[in-house]
Amino acid sequence: MKMNFIDLPQMISASGSMTLPGSKSISNRALLLAALAEGETQLRALLDSDDTARMREALAVLGVTMLAAGEGNSPPFPSCGGVPRRGGVVEGCPEGVGWLQVTGCAGRFPVQQAELFLGNAGTAFRSLAAVLAFAGGEYVLKGVPRMHERPIGDLVDALKACGASINFLENEGFPPLLIRPAVIRPDSVVKIRGDVSSQFLSGLLMALPLTGTQTTVEVEGELISKPYVDMTLNLMARFGVTVEREGWRAFSVPAGACYRSPGVYQVEGDASSASYFLALGAIGASAERPVRVEGVGKNAIQGDVRFADALAAMGATVETGENWISAARPAAGKPLTGIHLDCNHIPDAAMTLAVAALFAQGETTLTNIGSWRVKETDRIAAMATELRKLNVRVEEGVDFLKIAPPDVTHPLKPAVIDTYDDHRMAMCFSLASFGVPLRIRDPGCVAKTFPDYFDRFKAIARPAPVIAIDGPTASGKGAVSARVARSLGFHYLDSGALYRLTALAARKAGVDWTDEASVAAIAARLDVVFHADGVRLNGEEVGEAIRNEEISSGASKVAALPAVREALLFRQRTFHRAPGLVGDGRDMGSVVFPGAQLKVFLTASPAVRAERRFRQLLERNEPAEPDAIQADLEARDARDRTRPVAPLRQEPDALLLGTDHLGINEAVATVLGWFSARN
Ligand code: DC
């Protein structure tokens, strides 16, 4: 079954360098301009993600020839003999050094009639709609349902003012679109709204050289996301078309402008993708070992590099080089501080600030973010909803968010975070793991711009340590685990207690222990509080009740039900918090905490374990008969060892600790010794 969630434990520090994937915004613009240009263009370090795949597929349908490094007649990659794969990224070469050779079609696509599917790629949809309006053919442009909810009417109006012929196929003002050949109006002066999406202006500007005539564009309303328009102008200039502008209000494309290949074009690393790692540094890295992103720096043309300034304004230690930026916590042990920021210039990276705000002192207010509402999802609503699940106090306005960091009265709480098919929601919320363990649903949505995001995240962020201690019943692992936890100051998870509590809760609810769906529903809703002297179930002290022989046997039965194990998985993982955890059970090292720093398999012979259990029962004045105890214990062992899901067994990387001849102090000392050797 495909895992449709990722569980993140609490992180305690961050450090290291990472090479950024190519910028999505630059990649899609460069692909389109290279396709429209005269001549061959070699695009280097192009992003390989869903959004760029949609653009490349569309260009391929339009008849544009694109060869990845080493494919066909394209020149072999000079410095390595790697194997090309989708998108021209060359496996076996350093990241980002692949290329794509694009044969430009000099303004006229070879295929003049086509239907294009552009998924949820806004950059691809808006710019292709504009360009195809003047490309002389007949085209249908479609996307996923969310794309059909994202407005495009203002762009279409502006294109029509230049003579384009475009119809809305479903709802007025929204995709899908039918585009027919335009009847160009020479020397037009067209108006376009600047306050919905800057992609409208960018798309229009990139398309205008195809009209052959001089056109002036006047922006109505405040132009949002100006740096993206600047990036568009920068790329157009690299491809031979200079746009004259008067401030941010009027832009003029000269008659006879046409795109020419610059030969080679190197795509910058993605500055929006950089924001997550820079934030990781600001939250969790020391100045000696900062987090450093490679691929963008001082001369970047992406507006989102200004995110680094926002982090610096929060007090983070930020440094910028030619082609890198690094971030670490504030100097002198100071905390980050909340900020009040107009985010017009960094609309995408500003989302990262909303989560970084959880680690700052004082409130953070992000204003002028109205465009969030028409992105992959309504990002203001989504951000507020999901932050509230973590117990964060959020105030939401039409175009602002105010976030109060957690405090003793409002501590962060573990939660299951929904991502709304929005890559940035998934990436932003990964940062919250510095405060609390959490589950992120549909983490695969990051493929839109950053397919291996979570692998890179794990390479930079370090989780709280875990010691996983598994073993059969009455092996002494409970006592050893609790003592190890106490001596390290770590949290302690008695996972068996959760199965025992489930069995008890089912019994109280009159549910049979074999009724998998009903027992799993009970497990998912368990109202449990572990406290210093025991455990409460629905407010009732049950520390003793879950230890009797009947419930022990019930626990072993419900523990064999896969749906019950699934229902308890995230609850167990929420114990994985700073400064560390000792988890005791049967599948700590194999299923619940497979990445544990230390795995111990703690066991003893059946006779010794039966003897221990016999003495325990005598102490509690419960009736006991040694042979029956051993038989019962062996039956339970057999059930735990042979069940199909998460059977009890020694993991290959677990250290064996036999306690037949070992007192508890020696067992504890052994585990502590192993752990300190690993650290
Ligand atoms: O460790 P214990 O005896 O309290 O566990 C009670 C039951 O729960 C036991 O039959 C095994 C089962 N269990 C499990 O299947 N997986 C765990 N991680 C912990 C306990």
Side-chain angles (χ1 to χ4, degrees):
M1 196 179 75
K2 187 172 164 279
M3 245 214 336
N4 59 354
F5 60 80
I6 186 167
D7 288 336
L8 297 178
Q10 187 172 359
M11 302 294 162
I12 51 172
S13 64
S15 66
S17 284
M18 56 92 61
T19 304
L20 291 165
S23 155
K24 173 192 76 163
S25 305
I26 296 178
S27 292
N28 267 354
R29 282 169 174 79
L31 275 165
L32 185 58
L33 297 187
L36 289 172
E38 254 177 53
E40 301 251 326
T41 309
Q42 195 174 83
L43 298 175
R44 292 195 175 168
L46 200 67
L47 172 66
D48 185 12
S49 78
D50 284 356
D51 271 14
T52 53
R54 293 298 86 73
M55 178 61 104
R56 286 207 326 275
E57 286 157 14
L59 294 175
V61 170
L62 292 168
V64 177
T65 306
M66 290 164 286
L67 287 177
E71 266 180 11
N73 294 327
S74 82
F77 194 82
S79 61
C80 81
V83 184
R85 66 178 172 90
R86 195 168 70 93
V89 174
V90 181
E91 273 170 13
C93 293
E95 289 164 276
V97 296
W99 70 46
L100 193 74
Q101 189 85 12
V102 182
T103 308
C105 63
R108 200 174 162 80
F109 292 113
V111 175
Q112 288 282 293
Q113 196 167 29
E115 181 171 311
L116 305 177
F117 175 76
L118 296 162
N120 200 10
T123 43
F125 202 104
R126 278 70 178 263
S127 58
L128 274 167
V131 161
L132 291 175
F134 305 126
E138 189 169 312
Y139 303 101
V140 172
L141 267 66
K142 294 182 164 168
V144 296
R146 172 65 189 167
M147 195 69 231
H148 295 178
E149 291 168 8
R150 298 174 70 181
I152 195 162
D154 294 311
L155 173 61
V156 169
D157 288 347
L159 293 167
K160 282 183 171 170
C162 302
S165 164
I166 303 175
N167 291 318
F168 301 110
L169 290 175
E170 284 171 14
N171 296 318
E172 192 68 18
F174 296 86
L177 304 178
L178 168 64
I179 298 175
R180 292 206 183 84
V183 181
I184 306 292
R185 296 196 192 133
D187 304 323
S188 311
V189 177
V190 297
K191 296 187 188 311
I192 191 160
R193 275 181 69 177
D195 55 357
V196 178
S197 167
S198 68
Q199 287 175 12
F200 295 167
L201 177 57
S202 282
L204 180 63
L205 289 172
M206 284 194 283
L208 287 177
L210 272 62
T211 64
T213 176
Q214 128 101 34
T215 311
T216 301
V217 183
E218 291 177 0
V219 177
E220 293 186 310
E222 193 206 341
L223 177 61
I224 57 169
S225 318
K226 294 184 185 80
Y228 284 96
V229 176
D230 212 16
M231 176 197 294
T232 303
L233 299 182
N234 189 304
L235 266 122
M236 287 173 71
R238 285 294 300 277
F239 282 82
V241 174
T242 307
V243 178
E244 305 227 324
R245 72 178 172 97
E246 284 169 36
W248 296 101
R249 304 225 63 86
F251 300 82
S252 181
V253 178
C258 62
Y259 292 119
R260 284 204 184 78
S261 166
V264 173
Y265 185 84
Q266 174 82 29
V267 176
E268 283 177 8
D270 194 295
S272 313
S273 300
S275 71
Y276 311 108
F277 294 91
L278 295 176
L280 277 181
I283 297 164
S286 65
E288 299 74 48
R289 302 184 63 212
V291 174
R292 177 162 149 150
V293 297
E294 312 266 356
V296 285
K298 281 196 176 104
N299 304 316
I301 63 166
Q302 299 164 80
D304 271 357
V305 285
R306 300 277 306 280
F307 173 82
D309 300 342
L311 280 185
M314 294 176 82
T317 309
V318 175
E319 284 184 44
T320 307
E322 279 307 312
N323 198 33
W324 57 267
I325 309 176
S326 71
R329 285 191 299 259
K334 290 202 194 101
L336 291 170
T337 47
I339 45 169
H340 189 297
L341 189 71
D342 179 329
C343 299
N344 182 45
H345 61 301
I346 50 167
D348 284 347
M351 287 178 77
T352 313
L353 292 174
V355 184
L358 306 183
F359 305 96
Q361 218 166 54
E363 284 179 349
T364 288
T365 309
L366 308 176
T367 63
N368 211 351
I369 54 171
S371 67
W372 284 21
R373 295 211 181 264
V374 293
K375 297 285 181 157
E376 280 79 344
T377 183
D378 177 341
R379 286 177 166 168
I380 295 185
M383 185 59 79
T385 305
E386 301 308 310
L387 284 173
R388 286 185 186 123
K389 285 186 186 168
L390 294 170
N391 200 32
V392 178
R393 289 156 296 168
V394 185
E395 199 185 314
E396 171 191 346
V398 179
D399 65 350
F400 77 88
L401 269 182
K402 190 192 254 185
I403 297 132
D407 59 25
V408 276
T409 57
H410 285 83
L412 289 180
K413 292 196 176 144
V416 179
I417 300 298
D418 284 298
T419 47
Y420 308 79
D421 201 16
D422 183 350
H423 54 138
R424 298 208 187 284
M425 285 293 288
M427 296 190 278
C428 281
F429 274 87
S430 66
L431 303 179
S433 63
F434 263 85
V436 78
L438 49 96
R439 170 169 288 187
I440 295 178
R441 286 214 176 106
D442 187 22
C445 67
V446 298
K448 192 170 199 291
T449 51
F450 203 156
D452 59 351
Y453 175 77
F454 283 103
D455 293 336
R456 307 286 204 95
F457 175 87
K458 285 179 183 167
I460 297 286
R462 194 161 73 88
V466 182
I467 302 176
I469 304 186
D470 289 306
T473 190
S475 56
K477 67 186 164 29
V480 171
S481 301
R483 294 257 306 256
V484 170
R486 210 174 317 132
S487 97
L488 292 169
F490 281 10
H491 302 276
Y492 169 52
L493 166 63
D494 171 6
S495 62
L498 289 171
Y499 293 96
R500 292 171 179 273
L501 286 157
T502 302
L504 178 64
R507 166 87 355 141
K508 282 180 184 281
V511 168
D512 196 279
W513 286 329
T514 57
D515 178 351
E516 181 166 0
S518 306
V519 180
I522 286 172
R525 287 195 314 265
L526 276 186
D527 173 10
V528 175
V529 179
F530 287 96
H531 57 90
D533 306 316
V535 54
R536 276 193 293 273
L537 176 65
N538 297 324
E540 188 191 334
E541 290 296 342
V542 294
E544 299 265 308
I546 58 168
R547 299 281 157 202
N548 71 37
E549 288 303 282
E550 190 209 357
I551 294 300
S552 298
S553 158
S556 163
K557 286 181 184 142
V558 300
L561 305 173
V564 172
R565 303 198 76 84
E566 183 65 40
L568 291 175
L569 183 61
F570 180 54
R571 187 186 287 259
Q572 294 174 78
R573 288 180 174 164
T574 64
F575 284 78
H576 189 170
R577 304 187 68 150
L581 172 70
V582 180
D584 116 46
R586 306 292 185 283
D587 61 346
M588 297 293 97
S590 58
V591 176
V592 185
F593 306 113
Q597 274 73 2
L598 174 63
K599 297 180 186 179
V600 177
F601 193 76
L602 197 149
T603 190
S605 64
V608 169
R609 290 189 284 129
E611 160 75 23
R612 288 179 187 158
R613 174 57 49 90
F614 177 68
R615 271 194 263 122
Q616 267 175 6
L617 291 174
L618 280 189
E619 276 167 25
R620 300 213 295 254
N621 284 329
E622 285 182 39
E625 205 275 294
D627 289 347
I629 290 174
Q630 185 165 340
D632 181 57
L633 202 130
E634 284 177 6
R636 221 183 299 162
D637 276 359
R639 195 154 47 216
D640 291 347
R641 281 181 199 280
T642 56
R643 67 184 176 210
V645 285
L648 170 66
R649 59 153 194 251
Q650 183 183 353
E651 284 295 287
D653 54 348
L655 302 179
L656 181 67
L657 185 59
T659 62
D660 273 11
H661 308 291
L662 218 55
I664 180 157
N665 290 338
E666 293 148 297
V668 169
T670 306
V671 175
L672 288 173
W674 283 339
F675 182 65
S676 82
R678 299 247 160 139
N679 268 354

